Amino acid sequence: MNRWIAPLATLALLAGATVPAVLAPAPAVPAAAAPEDRSRVQVVCPSFTDVVAKVTVAGAASGAGLRVADVTAPDRVDNPEGIAQLGNRPDPQVLTAPRDLAFGASTVAAADGGGERGLGAAACGAPGAEAWFAGVAISDADEADLLLSNTDATEAAVDITVHGDQGRLNAPGSRGIVVPGNSTVSVPLNVQVTSAAPVTLHLETSQGRVAAMLRQRSWAESVSRGADWLAPAAAPAREVVIPVVPAVAGTSTLVVANPGDRTAGVAIEVLGTSGRSALPGLENVQLPAGATRSFDLGEVAEPIGLRLTSERPITAGVRSTSSTRPGRVDPSYSAAQPEVGTDALLPLALGQGADGQLVLANPGDGEASVEVTLGTQLGGPGVTSTVTVPAGGIGLVPLPRAAVAVVGIRGEVPGLRAAVVATRKLGRVDGVAVVPIVSNARAGAMPAVGYDPRVGT
């Protein structure tokens, strides 16, 4: 049976009321059967309400057992069947599913004006003890709000380190930020520190764990120039891959961070539809210790991926704008991502007016083949095909136009990264957003037994 049939079959529209679970007698279990695995995978989705913006959370699992609750009310649980589509939720949402299922969730915000102008999207992430954000803008014209959600009953404490263009920046109030249990704390970063150049954030918990989300807004005096979520970046490594830099009429800037205590030489190469190539003028760059540096990518006429290698651990992101015209501009953000993993599933409430494109990036030296299933909330098993991605290149797959488009990726390919680029016309605004895809099965896999004093019991 195609395991992607279940999430593509039905649409559950969730109201504020709790839907009670239906209990049935348990079937007889054969004596030799393995014990039932009742562990669950959890992600947190950003959400808010706005007089102009439409904000929608979408979640899906490849079988029964999807649950939804507010971070602040974990006991009031909705139990949708099929795809969950949640609108007008003022607080972040917690979605969980049995760990043996493919499972994913995302948030999409769309507005043609106001402070939340533009098309924004975020993949919902699991709570953890560490997170990185590369390319955060905290200048006088930019606003960055860090949202820290604690889904546990006990409090968490978070430390933030800021890496600027000359090294670490002093950020008063960035140590020991307390997040009470079952709550979300907003940290306005501009109050703590400002920088004319983009910076990199490193979050670590000294106690507990949090799901970290970053809302970025740009302004020209009091006029909005767009808003979006900044995707968390992969932890620093000697090789990092940004799956896609979208083709835009505006600007694209690569932001690279070297959090170590020694200078790092970084080699940069382009992953294109026909394979790898050099990035003229940026084949090799030097990064001082502890610093974040920005590099103009010039005109990006078609989607590309980027592979960065260094003898020191680094991480990276890309900041793009959809247009050079102030009335049309919308920002978007890409980041270095971990490998897709096995059985990745992501629903996206992009709307009928959006165009979406799945981008698969293969930094390896050989071709990569992966099974992709595309479907919608309207039902049916979806359409499955095998996509071959060239060595050192990217593959492009258009998404169906629908209120909710669903992407499934099966077959673990070492090194493979994935993301969706979405575009949508919102009044005069040329909306654009990038959403990474990573299997949540990793979060549900049985970990090696060990003790981390930050997470607790």
Side-chain angles (χ1 to χ4, degrees):
M1 177 180 177
N2 187 337
R3 76 177 294 164
W4 302 110
I5 292 177
L8 307 181
T10 56
L11 172 66
L13 298 177
L14 302 185
T18 300
V19 181
V22 178
L23 302 178
V29 178
E36 181 183 358
D37 185 354
R38 296 180 180 273
S39 59
R40 300 178 68 83
V41 182
Q42 178 188 92
V43 297
V44 179
C45 300
S47 185
F48 61 90
T49 56
D50 183 76
V51 294
V52 178
K54 178 182 179 182
V55 183
T56 307
V57 175
S62 59
L66 182 64
R67 297 177 185 171
V68 181
D70 287 351
V71 168
T72 57
D75 296 330
R76 294 202 296 271
V77 178
D78 290 328
N79 296 276
E81 295 180 2
I83 300 171
Q85 189 178 17
L86 312 157
N88 298 318
R89 300 295 172 110
D91 299 310
Q93 301 292 294
V94 182
L95 283 77
T96 68
R99 65 175 292 273
D100 59 341
L101 300 181
F103 164 59
S106 69
T107 302
V108 175
D112 59 7
E116 308 298 339
R117 193 186 87 159
L119 181 65
C124 306
E130 185 178 30
W132 292 83
F133 292 93
V136 182
I138 48 174
S139 70
D140 293 339
D142 300 286
E143 177 185 353
D145 291 320
L146 184 64
L147 300 177
L148 304 174
S149 287
N150 178 6
T151 61
D152 297 323
T154 56
E155 71 177 24
V158 181
D159 297 330
I160 303 174
T161 302
V162 183
H163 295 273
D165 62 345
Q166 299 300 317
R168 293 188 181 184
L169 298 178
N170 182 35
S174 62
R175 318 299 289 181
I177 299 170
V178 174
V179 186
N182 302 127
S183 70
T184 298
V185 170
S186 177
V187 181
L189 296 173
N190 298 67
V191 174
Q192 297 178 324
V193 61
T194 58
S195 171
V199 302
T200 298
L201 304 182
H202 180 205
L203 282 64
E204 289 185 292
T205 62
S206 56
Q207 174 182 324
R209 58 179 189 160
V210 296
M213 300 156 281
L214 198 149
R215 186 71 170 163
Q216 185 85 73
R217 301 176 181 86
S218 297
W219 303 87
E221 296 181 349
S222 60
V223 179
S224 173
R225 289 292 178 259
D228 203 344
W229 285 280
L230 197 75
R238 290 179 172 84
E239 179 191 66
V240 295
V241 177
I242 299 172
V244 64
V245 180
V248 292
T251 60
S252 291
T253 303
L254 172 65
V255 181
V256 189
N258 169 22
D261 56 5
R262 298 179 66 180
T263 297
V266 181
I268 305 170
E269 63 182 8
V270 173
L271 309 178
T273 53
S274 58
R276 67 180 82 246
S277 62
L279 191 62
L282 292 178
E283 295 89 344
N284 291 278
V285 298
Q286 296 294 312
L287 263 68
T292 297
R293 290 291 170 88
S294 300
F295 306 93
D296 183 10
L297 293 179
E299 181 181 357
V300 180
E302 61 182 30
I304 59 171
L306 295 175
R307 175 177 178 260
L308 289 74
T309 56
S310 174
E311 74 278 10
R312 310 284 177 200
I314 58 169
T315 193
V318 171
R319 300 174 56 86
S320 300
T321 56
S322 64
S323 175
T324 57
R325 302 172 64 180
R328 297 185 180 275
V329 68
D330 185 36
S332 67
Y333 308 96
S334 308
Q337 292 298 318
E339 297 177 7
V340 173
T342 303
D343 284 357
L345 179 64
L346 186 70
L348 285 161
L350 297 174
Q352 295 280 0
D355 289 308
Q357 190 172 51
L358 170 65
V359 183
L360 300 167
N362 171 24
D365 294 327
E367 283 187 344
S369 293
V370 65
E371 185 180 285
V372 174
T373 299
L374 302 178
T376 74
Q377 87 286 359
L378 299 178
V383 177
T384 299
S385 61
T386 299
V387 179
T388 299
V389 187
I394 62 171
L396 307 176
V397 183
L399 269 58
R401 276 198 169 195
V404 180
V406 184
V407 181
I409 302 175
R410 297 192 68 188
E412 187 166 7
V413 177
L416 189 73
R417 273 77 166 181
V420 168
V421 177
T423 57
R424 182 177 172 184
K425 193 73 172 177
L426 298 163
R428 298 178 58 213
V429 180
D430 296 328
V432 61
V434 177
V435 190
I437 302 179
V438 178
S439 172
N440 282 308
R442 289 170 172 247
M446 292 300 291
V449 176
Y451 175 67
D452 187 336
R454 297 174 296 180
V455 176
T457 59

